[in-house]
């Protein structure tokens, strides 16, 4: 029954397809003869290209191409490719009847009769000017963003350097001032040693920068925490006002850790200077070093770590400020007093060293910063 019906009404599907093709307005759908002349035209073609069917049927499809494409033989190339390979696709500028141009996405497909003879080509063209413009805008925005990120990274690097040098200069200046007014030759000798030490740190810093420029890795070595604390304490002693007491508690036999010693010292100085700045008048800073076993309770870390705690009796950190303290350039200090880079460096260092930094703080009571660093693997 079904097949009889179809034999009785052979025209119906063809008409329906014609109706369908005719009613599509977002795509130009038309046929070319094998020589490239237009033989049919739909509503979408009229809307996109501006020609009515009676104006364009019989004309060669190269009228849709730009003069430059025509000189380069683009229409002929596409036609040949479609006839040889059965299909050709193209994206490029096309010209409307009024001379304006649009960016087209076009496909050319060969149509064959039942004997396999080529009877023509189906051409489907879409105006994707808007899509192309958004893609170009997106590219431009990406390029801008990339440039901004590059500048920001450069700014952070420069600021970070200024910050580290500033910490060292604080030590050098305060030691030099004390030495200048001291009558005790032994004390002057010790102060000069601190100045030398800080100067050497500065040299290491520039060397690190040079190595950064050559894209070298961090200088990770096995470090004995006790030795590191001794040298840091020596650097710090004269940068603390006499009202602030520095207490130190080192668990005996703390295992070796694995990190960049120079950077770790900078990081500890950052934490200690922050603690100093939080204390108005009298107070104390406690530096504690302990071995700890972690099983996920600190930022999901597992294994053996050494924890450096810097605890102060300062003003504490307000709850609304707390989530922002590790952001680069975030500071609550007066203009010229803080760059806001200290803790972002601490954070970056902790992450890069496969450790973590945690903070507990209560306004009016004090702050405790805990830096976790992995214990060095046993071996060479
Ligand atoms: N121990 C602390 N007690 C109270 N507030 C702190 C403490 N440590 C950090 N903060 C807060 O976190 C902010 C950011 O600290 P960060 O070290 O990144 O920058 P900074 O100390 O302001 O500037 P810089 O380190 O360049 O001197 C500080 O401005 C301060 O508000
Ligand atoms: Mg700081």
């Amino acid at each position: 029954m079904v097949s009889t019906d179809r034999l009785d009404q052979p025209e119906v599907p063809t008409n329906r397809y014609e109706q369908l093709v005719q009613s599509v307005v977002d795509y130009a759908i038309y046929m070319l003869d094998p020589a490239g002349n237009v033989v049919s035209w739909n509503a979408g073609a009229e809307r996109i290209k501006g020609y009515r069917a009676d104006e364009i049927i019989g004309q060669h499809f190269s009228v849709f191409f730009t003069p430059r494409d025509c000189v380069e033989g683009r229409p002929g190339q596409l036609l040949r490719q479609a006839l040889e390979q059965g299909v050709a696709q193209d994206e490029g500028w096309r010209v409307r009847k009024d001379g304006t141009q649009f960016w087209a996405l076009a496909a050319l497909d060969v149509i064959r009769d039942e004997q396999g003879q080529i009877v023509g080509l189906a051409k489907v063209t879409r105006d994707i000017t808007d899509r192309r413009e958004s893609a170009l805008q997106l590219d431009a925005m990406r390029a801008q963003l990339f440039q901004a990120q590059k500048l920001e990274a450069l700014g952070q690097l420069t600021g970070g350097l200024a910050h580290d040098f500033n910490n060292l200069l604080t030590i050098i200046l305060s030691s030099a001032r004390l030495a200048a007014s001291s009558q005790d030759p032994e004390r002057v000798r010790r102060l000069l040693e601190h100045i030398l030490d800080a100067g050497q740190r500065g040299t290491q810093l520039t060397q690190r920068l040079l190595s950064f420029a050559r894209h070298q890795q961090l200088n990770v070595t096995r470090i004995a925490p006790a030795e590191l604390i001794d040298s840091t304490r020596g650097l710090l002693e004269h940068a603390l006002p006499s009202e602030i007491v520095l207490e130190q508690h080192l668990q005996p036999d703390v295992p070796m850790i694995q990190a960049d010693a120079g950077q770790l010292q900078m990081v500890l100085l950052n934490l200690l200077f922050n603690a100093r700045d939080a204390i108005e008048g009298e107070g104390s800073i406690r530096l504690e070093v302990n071995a700890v076993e972690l099983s996920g309770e600190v930022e999901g870390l597992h294994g053996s770590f050494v924890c450096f705690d810097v605890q102060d009796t300062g003003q504490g950190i307000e709850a609304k400020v707390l989530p922002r303290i590790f952001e680069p350039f975030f500071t609550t200090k007066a203009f010229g007093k803080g760059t806001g880079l200290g803790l972002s460096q601490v954070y970056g260092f902790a992450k890069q060293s496969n450790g973590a930094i945690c903070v507990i703080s209560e306004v009016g009571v004090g702050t405790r910063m805990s830096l976790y660093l992995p214990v060095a693997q046993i071996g060479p």
Side-chain angles (χ1 to χ4, degrees):
M1 280 296 280
V2 173
S3 58
T4 322
D5 274 358
R6 280 174 69 182
L7 284 174
D8 288 348
Q9 301 166 339
E11 302 301 328
V12 173
T14 317
N15 286 340
R16 280 209 190 120
Y17 282 125
E18 262 181 37
Q19 274 174 358
L20 174 70
V21 169
Q22 262 314 318
S23 61
V24 171
V25 289
D26 287 336
Y27 291 81
I29 304 175
Y30 55 99
M31 267 178 74
L32 303 177
D33 66 18
N37 299 309
V38 178
V39 292
S40 78
W41 200 240
N42 81 333
E46 181 171 339
R47 195 182 69 86
I48 293 172
K49 302 199 191 233
Y51 296 95
R52 288 194 318 272
D54 61 321
E55 288 172 327
I56 197 69
I57 288 178
Q59 286 207 53
H60 196 263
F61 86 123
S62 56
V63 295
F64 308 132
F65 286 77
T66 61
R68 190 181 164 166
D69 277 349
C70 289
V71 169
E72 288 173 359
R74 188 90 195 119
Q77 280 168 14
L78 283 169
L79 199 61
R80 265 195 308 280
Q81 191 188 338
L83 291 171
E84 282 164 16
Q85 298 170 12
V87 61
Q89 286 188 346
D90 191 32
E91 196 177 318
W93 290 112
R94 294 290 187 275
V95 185
R96 297 192 186 93
K97 182 185 162 190
D98 64 6
T100 56
Q101 298 192 353
F102 66 97
W103 189 261
L105 182 65
L108 202 51
D109 287 87
V110 160
I111 307 169
R112 294 173 191 273
D113 63 14
E114 277 131 38
Q115 282 75 47
Q117 291 297 311
I118 294 175
V119 291
L121 298 114
K123 183 88 165 43
V124 179
T125 302
R126 204 173 161 200
D127 178 354
I128 57 161
T129 314
D130 288 351
R131 203 164 87 184
R132 179 173 185 264
E133 265 163 19
S134 341
L136 288 177
Q137 264 174 16
L138 201 66
D139 281 353
M141 270 161 63
R142 274 203 199 109
Q144 254 177 22
L145 187 68
F146 179 66
Q147 186 64 13
Q149 280 172 339
K150 230 169 51 181
L151 285 177
E152 194 186 317
L154 200 65
Q156 280 184 17
L157 183 69
T158 324
L161 261 190
H163 179 270
D164 280 354
F165 275 115
N166 217 24
N167 280 354
L168 292 171
L169 286 174
T170 308
I171 291 161
I172 291 174
L173 288 175
S174 50
S175 303
R177 260 190 222 111
L178 287 171
S181 60
S182 172
Q183 306 298 322
D184 177 357
E186 179 52 27
R187 184 151 194 245
V188 170
R189 196 190 56 76
R190 268 193 291 119
L191 288 165
L192 284 175
E193 264 173 23
H194 291 320
I195 293 174
L196 273 176
D197 208 1
Q200 250 150 19
R201 291 266 162 235
T203 315
Q204 278 173 11
L205 200 65
T206 46
Q207 270 166 0
R208 263 212 333 264
L209 237 206
L210 290 174
S211 70
F212 174 75
R214 286 187 217 112
H215 302 289
Q216 281 176 7
Q217 296 283 313
L218 284 183
N219 186 16
V220 176
T221 52
R222 289 158 66 86
I223 309 166
E227 284 172 26
L228 186 93
I229 296 297
D230 274 352
S231 61
T232 309
R233 203 191 152 116
L235 277 176
L236 187 77
E237 229 159 19
H238 303 286
L240 287 184
S242 55
E243 296 94 334
I244 298 180
V245 183
L246 181 63
E247 296 166 17
Q248 185 178 309
H249 177 82
L250 236 112
Q251 181 193 315
D253 301 326
V254 190
M256 304 274 268
I257 52 167
Q258 207 147 7
D260 181 314
Q263 282 221 12
L264 175 55
Q265 192 162 54
M266 288 297 163
V267 159
L268 288 176
L269 283 176
N270 275 325
L271 295 177
L272 290 160
F273 280 137
N274 277 351
R276 175 200 63 187
D277 295 345
I279 298 171
E280 264 179 56
E282 290 193 348
S284 68
I285 303 174
R286 185 174 166 87
L287 175 59
E288 215 176 296
V289 185
N290 291 299
V292 287
E293 282 300 314
L294 297 180
S295 40
E297 60 275 49
V298 177
E299 305 227 343
L301 294 176
H302 287 264
S304 306
F305 287 80
V306 169
C307 179
F308 295 81
D309 273 318
V310 177
Q311 194 169 355
D312 64 59
T313 56
Q315 65 200 18
I317 306 171
E318 284 178 44
K320 71 172 195 306
V321 165
L322 201 60
R324 301 200 55 197
I325 58 169
F326 295 107
E327 280 177 20
F329 302 111
F330 177 83
T331 180
T332 56
K333 292 172 190 170
F335 183 74
K337 284 267 160 65
T339 63
L341 282 166
L343 285 182
S344 71
Q345 285 180 340
V346 174
Y347 181 87
F349 171 79
K351 284 273 170 211
Q352 233 182 321
S353 311
N354 301 315
I357 173 82
C358 297
V359 53
I360 301 173
S361 186
E362 198 176 328
V363 175
V365 178
T367 302
R368 177 190 193 134
M369 292 275 178
S370 308
L371 173 70
Y372 294 86
L373 292 173
V375 165
Q377 307 289 319
I378 300 166

